[in-house]
Amino acid sequence: MRLSRFFLPVLKETPSDAQIVSHQLMLRAGMIKQNGAGIYSWLPLGLRVLRKIEKIVREEQNRAGAIEVLMPTIQPAELWQESGRYDAYGKEMLRIQDRHDREMLYGPTNEEMITDLFRSYVRSYKQMPLNLYHIQWKFRDEIRPRFGVMRGREFLMKDAYSFDIDEESARKSYYKMFCAYLNTFSRLGLKAIPMRADTGPIGGDLSHEFIILAETGESAVFCDADLVNMAAPGPELDFESDLLPEVEKRTQYYAATEEMHDEARFLSEVPEERRLSARGIEVGHIFYFGDKYSKAMKAVVNGPDGKEVAVQMGSYGIGVSRLVGGIIEACHDEKGVIWPKEIAPFDCAVVNLRAGDDDCDAACEQAYERLINAGFDPLYDDTDDRPGAKLSKLELIGIPSAIVIGPRGLKNGVVELRNRKTGATEEISLDAALNKLTAGV
Amino acid sequence: MRLSRFFLPVLKETPSDAQIVSHQLMLRAGMIKQNGAGIYSWLPLGLRVLRKIEKIVREEQNRAGAIEVLMPTIQPAELWQESGRYDAYGKEMLRIQDRHDREMLYGPTNEEMITDLFRSYVRSYKQMPLNLYHIQWKFRDEIRPRFGVMRGREFLMKDAYSFDIDEESARKSYYKMFCAYLNTFSRLGLKAIPMRADTGPIGGDLSHEFIILAETGESAVFCDADLVNMAAPGPELDFESDLLPEVEKRTQYYAATEEMHDEARFLSEVPEERRLSARGIEVGHIFYFGDKYSKAMKAVVNGPDGKEVAVQMGSYGIGVSRLVGGIIEACHDEKGVIWPKEIAPFDCAVVNLRAGDDDCDAACEQAYERLINAGFDPLYDDTDDRPGAKLSKLELIGIPSAIVIGPRGLKNGVVELRNRKTGATEEISLDAALNKLTAGV
């Protein structure tokens, strides 16, 4: 993408109403624009990151055997009256009346709707286990939306729902999602720690939050330091195998958010040198809640013995738009964002320090084309901004690596190869720089 | 995808409340489920088609130089009060109050919000021309939603908005979208005819609808038959070149919907043998409306002479979810859907007529794997349904081609290769069938 044909409205000043660094950087880097309290437009740079995260989340859901559907944002109130949550949900639910005065709502989550979908089609245990997910915008009418996309009102969530004939099978479905989440966050460049969690208004008896560590995290977390660097199961994991060992490998360690923290257990179970007390951000939450919804909404199937049984359910959420903010909280410095490679809005950049200079233009065009032909998605800064402004912009938006081409270097046969994360720069030939970049060095 | 692990709830009976064939077939083929009046869930099969259409629309917008953003579904009422449309829009606008009694709405379209976005960032003619688009869910509270996704209330639309410094430049932006639409519909396997249209509530003085022909179309259309088979400009079109000839090549012919039809002109301009009077479905609509919104909302920039000028705008819509229904209206027979290749939910199918039989299983697995390795996305019916049910299901859901493998054929060294569109079947070796399929024959 040529920057001259892109839309990247970076801001010079930090907006005064943005309290946390991810919100500040997203506004400054031209990733989002606020349209109302807790409601944002995704500008081209932000949308690229959002879509990359969404893609990884989707791929890992598919790999774990979940099947994608797409439920609407607007739901009829009747479903929530059946489950009993229509009154219980309170003011966070955005309630709507249509032109015929029918009561509707903007879905804050989809347990009811998916249970209705399930009961419309599934009659037999033979059609299970079944895990359906969607990636759709939700709305929660937070009383004080803040922190940008970290706590917005309209937000993008991946929510999966599992249906099983009995608890044993349901636990297996839970373990699948547990492992899929470890792989998802690992691919996003994050170290996410599963922590036993309160089930809250969803209900149920088994639940884990996935927490990433960040100094600016919203809540205190306490865990065994050995958990932090434990590698994810990886893409070779067979989701049809017994996944309990993978789960227990982690749940055997102490890990708890503030709400669930038990100081006495922490002190007794975790050796002093491994006691990690830090700040964390929730990026995923999984629940097993049995027949809470299936009973209320009569989602029953015929079991192997021919008798009707209410299905066992779980739900599994990842805050896709929230992750954009969460990742920035975990990956930035004073100059701007430092994107993990897999989700960077552009793989790399080519910076023309003197657009209009024949030699610079030719070298940049060559670099740009070779990168595209090698399958990369580069940003080419072909504008006539000042060199200093170009380089700061590049640091602000956090592109992992860049080839910087100027007239002085070209005279000596060199360009500058820059690494955003390490800050390393080296002066080498354009060929050498391109070879290094395309080799992923 | 193995059908045993997919979720494809086909219906045996045609739902009695579905009046048109696309709605009936989408329900029967397990593509959608109704959640409320004009509100649908997209089941896995339907979602695959929706995403393929969306991808083609996106690629052609990008090729024409439009830049993708994503605006939220919920909008503040203030923007619409500025443009004067908040009162004018009437009951089709879904109006919402949040917990603080702030007036909001579910966006039926985005002229106001994009104009606000533009004025927040763009100050100079040098930052133009600019064309921003998004693909987002909209809501129009139709008094009588009907015809399934053809006239739903919650629907997916691609809407692009162009910003130019003067009318000359704005017309060029309009021509770009005009040509991008021709290419888009052509890639979708459709013959879409641009017809001069009324600008309606959007306003403006230049507008075209893109109409596909279908016997069950919603409105009468009249045009020169030569227009129908005119080839789209194609992917080699240079969008920076003068596109007026491409536009005029079509607009020189008579083509009008019922609303704009002028019988006298039709009779005098079109030779009798080329007078086509048929039924059509609107799948796209483009508008040039000048400074209607930019003036009202003060979206002004500095022109080359340093003076402030209200920008010239156009908007360009494609009904992405509506297209799914529209394409079925144009592409079906009495057995079910006949998907154009580019948007079929699966490229092809492998049907195991006797799952559990060692020879059949082995041959099917081989076929399935070879297709995947060749880069295809096949559906493998590995279930133990009856052969007849499997084949009717395949016809119902409209997969373009299938390799049908049964024990009798295997004994003679053959499988059956079926073409959904032509109905042709041939008995050939598995190798030959795979070679034909992967060669796209």
PDB file of all heavy atoms in Angstrom, chain B residues 76-87:
ATOM      1  N   PRO B  76     -24.877   8.160  16.943  1.00  0.00           N
ATOM      2  CA  PRO B  76     -25.543   9.199  17.736  1.00  0.00           C
ATOM      3  C   PRO B  76     -26.531   9.969  16.861  1.00  0.00           C
ATOM      4  O   PRO B  76     -26.265  10.203  15.675  1.00  0.00           O
ATOM      5  CB  PRO B  76     -24.386  10.099  18.184  1.00  0.00           C
ATOM      6  CG  PRO B  76     -23.287   9.851  17.211  1.00  0.00           C
ATOM      7  CD  PRO B  76     -23.470   8.461  16.661  1.00  0.00           C
ATOM      8  N   ALA B  77     -27.655  10.351  17.437  1.00  0.00           N
ATOM      9  CA  ALA B  77     -28.683  11.067  16.674  1.00  0.00           C
ATOM     10  C   ALA B  77     -28.202  12.430  16.190  1.00  0.00           C
ATOM     11  O   ALA B  77     -28.642  12.919  15.144  1.00  0.00           O
ATOM     12  CB  ALA B  77     -29.938  11.236  17.540  1.00  0.00           C
ATOM     13  N   GLU B  78     -27.255  13.035  16.926  1.00  0.00           N
ATOM     14  CA  GLU B  78     -26.819  14.399  16.601  1.00  0.00           C
ATOM     15  C   GLU B  78     -26.401  14.552  15.131  1.00  0.00           C
ATOM     16  O   GLU B  78     -26.700  15.557  14.491  1.00  0.00           O
ATOM     17  CB  GLU B  78     -25.631  14.840  17.475  1.00  0.00           C
ATOM     18  CG  GLU B  78     -25.983  15.141  18.915  1.00  0.00           C
ATOM     19  CD  GLU B  78     -26.028  13.894  19.785  1.00  0.00           C
ATOM     20  OE1 GLU B  78     -25.837  12.780  19.237  1.00  0.00           O
ATOM     21  OE2 GLU B  78     -26.279  14.016  20.997  1.00  0.00           O
ATOM     22  N   LEU B  79     -25.688  13.555  14.623  1.00  0.00           N
ATOM     23  CA  LEU B  79     -25.193  13.659  13.251  1.00  0.00           C
ATOM     24  C   LEU B  79     -26.347  13.806  12.270  1.00  0.00           C
ATOM     25  O   LEU B  79     -26.264  14.551  11.291  1.00  0.00           O
ATOM     26  CB  LEU B  79     -24.378  12.423  12.889  1.00  0.00           C
ATOM     27  CG  LEU B  79     -23.022  12.259  13.595  1.00  0.00           C
ATOM     28  CD1 LEU B  79     -22.392  10.938  13.177  1.00  0.00           C
ATOM     29  CD2 LEU B  79     -22.108  13.417  13.234  1.00  0.00           C
ATOM     30  N   TRP B  80     -27.413  13.084  12.548  1.00  0.00           N
ATOM     31  CA  TRP B  80     -28.562  13.109  11.645  1.00  0.00           C
ATOM     32  C   TRP B  80     -29.396  14.366  11.838  1.00  0.00           C
ATOM     33  O   TRP B  80     -30.126  14.776  10.926  1.00  0.00           O
ATOM     34  CB  TRP B  80     -29.411  11.855  11.853  1.00  0.00           C
ATOM     35  CG  TRP B  80     -28.700  10.615  11.397  1.00  0.00           C
ATOM     36  CD1 TRP B  80     -27.626  10.015  11.986  1.00  0.00           C
ATOM     37  CD2 TRP B  80     -29.001   9.837  10.236  1.00  0.00           C
ATOM     38  NE1 TRP B  80     -27.243   8.913  11.270  1.00  0.00           N
ATOM     39  CE2 TRP B  80     -28.078   8.774  10.195  1.00  0.00           C
ATOM     40  CE3 TRP B  80     -29.967   9.927   9.224  1.00  0.00           C
ATOM     41  CZ2 TRP B  80     -28.083   7.799   9.188  1.00  0.00           C
ATOM     42  CZ3 TRP B  80     -29.979   8.965   8.231  1.00  0.00           C
ATOM     43  CH2 TRP B  80     -29.042   7.914   8.219  1.00  0.00           C
ATOM     44  N   GLN B  81     -29.277  14.952  13.025  1.00  0.00           N
ATOM     45  CA  GLN B  81     -29.952  16.232  13.227  1.00  0.00           C
ATOM     46  C   GLN B  81     -29.229  17.309  12.419  1.00  0.00           C
ATOM     47  O   GLN B  81     -29.847  18.199  11.840  1.00  0.00           O
ATOM     48  CB  GLN B  81     -29.998  16.575  14.725  1.00  0.00           C
ATOM     49  CG  GLN B  81     -31.056  15.726  15.449  1.00  0.00           C
ATOM     50  CD  GLN B  81     -30.804  15.543  16.927  1.00  0.00           C
ATOM     51  OE1 GLN B  81     -29.737  15.869  17.432  1.00  0.00           O
ATOM     52  NE2 GLN B  81     -31.787  14.983  17.637  1.00  0.00           N
ATOM     53  N   GLU B  82     -27.910  17.203  12.343  1.00  0.00           N
ATOM     54  CA  GLU B  82     -27.134  18.164  11.548  1.00  0.00           C
ATOM     55  C   GLU B  82     -27.518  18.134  10.074  1.00  0.00           C
ATOM     56  O   GLU B  82     -27.598  19.166   9.415  1.00  0.00           O
ATOM     57  CB  GLU B  82     -25.642  17.825  11.646  1.00  0.00           C
ATOM     58  CG  GLU B  82     -24.925  18.465  12.801  1.00  0.00           C
ATOM     59  CD  GLU B  82     -23.412  18.318  12.619  1.00  0.00           C
ATOM     60  OE1 GLU B  82     -22.851  18.979  11.733  1.00  0.00           O
ATOM     61  OE2 GLU B  82     -22.819  17.514  13.356  1.00  0.00           O
ATOM     62  N   SER B  83     -27.690  16.920   9.548  1.00  0.00           N
ATOM     63  CA  SER B  83     -27.978  16.816   8.106  1.00  0.00           C
ATOM     64  C   SER B  83     -29.450  17.082   7.817  1.00  0.00           C
ATOM     65  O   SER B  83     -29.830  17.279   6.671  1.00  0.00           O
ATOM     66  CB  SER B  83     -27.626  15.422   7.603  1.00  0.00           C
ATOM     67  OG  SER B  83     -28.608  14.486   8.015  1.00  0.00           O
ATOM     68  N   GLY B  84     -30.270  17.033   8.861  1.00  0.00           N
ATOM     69  CA  GLY B  84     -31.698  17.253   8.668  1.00  0.00           C
ATOM     70  C   GLY B  84     -32.461  15.970   8.373  1.00  0.00           C
ATOM     71  O   GLY B  84     -33.674  15.993   8.167  1.00  0.00           O
ATOM     72  N   ARG B  85     -31.751  14.832   8.374  1.00  0.00           N
ATOM     73  CA  ARG B  85     -32.464  13.601   8.033  1.00  0.00           C
ATOM     74  C   ARG B  85     -33.048  12.884   9.241  1.00  0.00           C
ATOM     75  O   ARG B  85     -33.742  11.876   9.093  1.00  0.00           O
ATOM     76  CB  ARG B  85     -31.521  12.631   7.292  1.00  0.00           C
ATOM     77  CG  ARG B  85     -31.296  13.040   5.853  1.00  0.00           C
ATOM     78  CD  ARG B  85     -30.994  11.848   4.964  1.00  0.00           C
ATOM     79  NE  ARG B  85     -29.717  11.212   5.250  1.00  0.00           N
ATOM     80  CZ  ARG B  85     -29.259  10.154   4.586  1.00  0.00           C
ATOM     81  NH1 ARG B  85     -29.974   9.597   3.619  1.00  0.00           N
ATOM     82  NH2 ARG B  85     -28.092   9.630   4.879  1.00  0.00           N
ATOM     83  N   TYR B  86     -32.743  13.359  10.479  1.00  0.00           N
ATOM     84  CA  TYR B  86     -33.219  12.627  11.653  1.00  0.00           C
ATOM     85  C   TYR B  86     -34.746  12.584  11.690  1.00  0.00           C
ATOM     86  O   TYR B  86     -35.346  11.557  11.954  1.00  0.00           O
ATOM     87  CB  TYR B  86     -32.675  13.253  12.939  1.00  0.00           C
ATOM     88  CG  TYR B  86     -32.900  12.389  14.163  1.00  0.00           C
ATOM     89  CD1 TYR B  86     -32.362  11.104  14.228  1.00  0.00           C
ATOM     90  CD2 TYR B  86     -33.644  12.849  15.241  1.00  0.00           C
ATOM     91  CE1 TYR B  86     -32.560  10.303  15.337  1.00  0.00           C
ATOM     92  CE2 TYR B  86     -33.843  12.050  16.360  1.00  0.00           C
ATOM     93  CZ  TYR B  86     -33.303  10.783  16.404  1.00  0.00           C
ATOM     94  OH  TYR B  86     -33.511   9.993  17.498  1.00  0.00           O
ATOM     95  N   ASP B  87     -35.348  13.710  11.378  1.00  0.00           N
ATOM     96  CA  ASP B  87     -36.809  13.725  11.318  1.00  0.00           C
ATOM     97  C   ASP B  87     -37.314  13.171   9.993  1.00  0.00           C
ATOM     98  O   ASP B  87     -38.294  12.437   9.939  1.00  0.00           O
ATOM     99  CB  ASP B  87     -37.333  15.147  11.550  1.00  0.00           C
ATOM    100  CG  ASP B  87     -37.007  15.624  12.960  1.00  0.00           C
ATOM    101  OD1 ASP B  87     -37.054  14.778  13.880  1.00  0.00           O
ATOM    102  OD2 ASP B  87     -36.691  16.808  13.132  1.00  0.00           O
TER     103      ASP B  87
END
